[in-house]
Amino acid sequence: MKFKVGDTVKITLGKDRGKTGKIEKVLLKSNAVTVTGLNLYKKHLKARGEGKAGSMVDLARPLNLAKISLICPKCHSVTRIGFEGAAKKKLRICKKCGKPID
Protein backbone atom coordinates (compact mmCIF):
# COMPACT_ATOMS: atom_id res chain seq x y z
CA MET A 1 0.00 0.00 0.00
CA LYS A 2 1.44 3.35 -1.02
CA PHE A 3 -0.66 5.43 1.38
CA LYS A 4 -0.34 5.39 5.18
CA VAL A 5 -2.28 6.87 8.07
CA GLY A 6 -1.20 10.48 8.63
CA ASP A 7 -0.24 11.22 5.01
CA THR A 8 -1.47 14.52 3.58
CA VAL A 9 -3.44 13.95 0.39
CA LYS A 10 -5.29 16.02 -2.19
CA ILE A 11 -8.62 14.84 -3.57
CA THR A 12 -8.62 14.82 -7.38
CA LEU A 13 -12.17 13.57 -8.13
CA GLY A 14 -15.58 13.92 -6.53
CA LYS A 15 -17.53 16.58 -4.72
CA ASP A 16 -14.52 17.65 -2.58
CA ARG A 17 -12.10 17.98 -5.52
CA GLY A 18 -9.13 20.22 -4.77
CA LYS A 19 -9.36 19.96 -0.97
CA THR A 20 -6.56 18.55 1.17
CA GLY A 21 -6.61 16.54 4.38
CA LYS A 22 -4.90 13.83 6.39
CA ILE A 23 -5.64 10.12 6.03
CA GLU A 24 -7.53 8.84 9.05
CA LYS A 25 -8.03 5.18 8.15
CA VAL A 26 -6.79 2.83 5.40
CA LEU A 27 -9.12 0.06 4.20
CA LEU A 28 -6.95 -2.56 2.50
CA LYS A 29 -9.66 -4.91 1.23
CA SER A 30 -11.63 -2.22 -0.59
CA ASN A 31 -8.63 -0.08 -1.70
CA ALA A 32 -10.05 2.98 0.02
CA VAL A 33 -9.11 5.57 2.64
CA THR A 34 -11.06 7.93 4.87
CA VAL A 35 -9.86 11.52 5.07
CA THR A 36 -10.69 13.63 8.13
CA GLY A 37 -13.37 16.22 7.44
CA LEU A 38 -13.81 15.35 3.76
CA ASN A 39 -16.35 13.31 1.77
CA LEU A 40 -18.94 13.86 4.51
CA TYR A 41 -22.53 12.69 4.09
CA LYS A 42 -25.58 13.10 6.33
CA LYS A 43 -27.22 10.13 8.02
CA HIS A 44 -30.69 10.50 9.51
CA LEU A 45 -31.12 8.70 12.82
CA LYS A 46 -34.57 7.62 13.97
CA ALA A 47 -35.78 8.49 17.47
CA ARG A 48 -35.09 5.59 19.85
CA GLY A 49 -37.38 5.56 22.86
CA GLU A 50 -39.40 8.38 24.38
CA GLY A 51 -36.61 10.55 25.77
CA LYS A 52 -34.36 10.53 22.69
CA ALA A 53 -35.05 12.66 19.66
CA GLY A 54 -34.03 11.84 16.10
CA SER A 55 -31.04 13.63 14.61
CA MET A 56 -28.76 13.99 11.61
CA VAL A 57 -25.13 12.88 11.86
CA ASP A 58 -22.21 13.65 9.52
CA LEU A 59 -20.38 10.49 8.40
CA ALA A 60 -17.06 10.37 6.52
CA ARG A 61 -17.34 7.86 3.69
CA PRO A 62 -14.26 6.15 2.25
CA LEU A 63 -12.62 7.40 -0.94
CA ASN A 64 -11.13 5.10 -3.55
CA LEU A 65 -7.34 5.32 -3.94
CA ALA A 66 -7.77 6.43 -7.56
CA LYS A 67 -9.41 9.65 -6.35
CA ILE A 68 -6.54 10.89 -4.18
CA SER A 69 -2.90 11.84 -4.66
CA LEU A 70 -0.14 12.33 -2.11
CA ILE A 71 1.35 15.72 -1.21
CA CYS A 72 5.08 15.39 -0.58
CA PRO A 73 6.07 16.76 2.86
CA LYS A 74 9.45 17.95 1.53
CA CYS A 75 8.59 19.74 -1.76
CA HIS A 76 4.87 20.41 -0.95
CA SER A 77 3.64 19.35 -4.39
CA VAL A 78 1.27 16.63 -5.59
CA THR A 79 3.38 13.64 -6.55
CA ARG A 80 3.45 9.95 -7.27
CA ILE A 81 5.16 7.47 -4.98
CA GLY A 82 8.05 5.18 -5.84
CA PHE A 83 9.88 2.57 -3.79
CA GLU A 84 13.59 2.16 -3.14
CA GLY A 85 15.43 -0.50 -1.22
CA ALA A 86 15.23 -4.25 -1.30
CA ALA A 87 14.55 -6.93 1.27
CA LYS A 88 15.05 -5.40 4.72
CA LYS A 89 13.54 -1.93 4.47
CA LYS A 90 11.50 -0.39 1.67
CA LEU A 91 11.45 3.41 1.47
CA ARG A 92 8.73 5.45 -0.16
CA ILE A 93 10.28 8.00 -2.54
CA CYS A 94 8.78 11.20 -3.98
CA LYS A 95 8.92 11.00 -7.78
CA LYS A 96 9.38 14.78 -8.15
CA CYS A 97 12.11 15.65 -5.63
CA GLY A 98 13.55 12.14 -5.08
CA LYS A 99 13.61 12.47 -1.27
CA PRO A 100 12.23 9.78 1.04
CA ILE A 101 8.74 10.21 2.48
CA ASP A 102 8.22 9.55 6.24
Side-chain angles (χ1 to χ4, degrees):
M1 177 66 67
K2 293 185 177 187
F3 297 100
K4 293 183 178 180
V5 174
D7 285 345
T8 305
V9 294
K10 184 173 187 176
I11 297 180
T12 56
L13 291 171
K15 70 176 194 167
D16 291 329
R17 179 182 354 175
K19 295 181 182 177
T20 60
K22 288 197 178 276
I23 293 180
E24 180 180 290
K25 190 176 190 181
V26 177
L27 306 168
L28 293 174
K29 289 187 178 180
S30 60
N31 281 335
V33 295
T34 57
V35 182
T36 53
L38 298 177
N39 202 30
L40 295 177
Y41 287 88
K42 302 246 185 232
K43 180 176 182 177
H44 298 264
L45 295 177
K46 191 191 288 190
R48 300 284 180 189
E50 285 187 26
K52 299 183 181 181
S55 62
M56 290 186 351
V57 178
D58 285 333
L59 290 178
R61 287 194 184 164
L63 283 164
N64 195 328
L65 294 180
K67 295 183 179 184
I68 62 171
S69 55
L70 182 80
I71 296 177
C72 177
K74 306 286 195 297
C75 61
H76 304 291
S77 61
V78 176
T79 185
R80 292 179 297 137
I81 303 169
F83 288 101
E84 199 172 87
K88 293 192 178 181
K89 186 149 184 181
K90 263 174 124 173
L91 290 175
R92 296 187 305 161
I93 303 294
C94 171
K95 288 283 193 170
K96 288 198 175 176
C97 66
K99 295 180 181 171
I101 298 170
D102 277 338

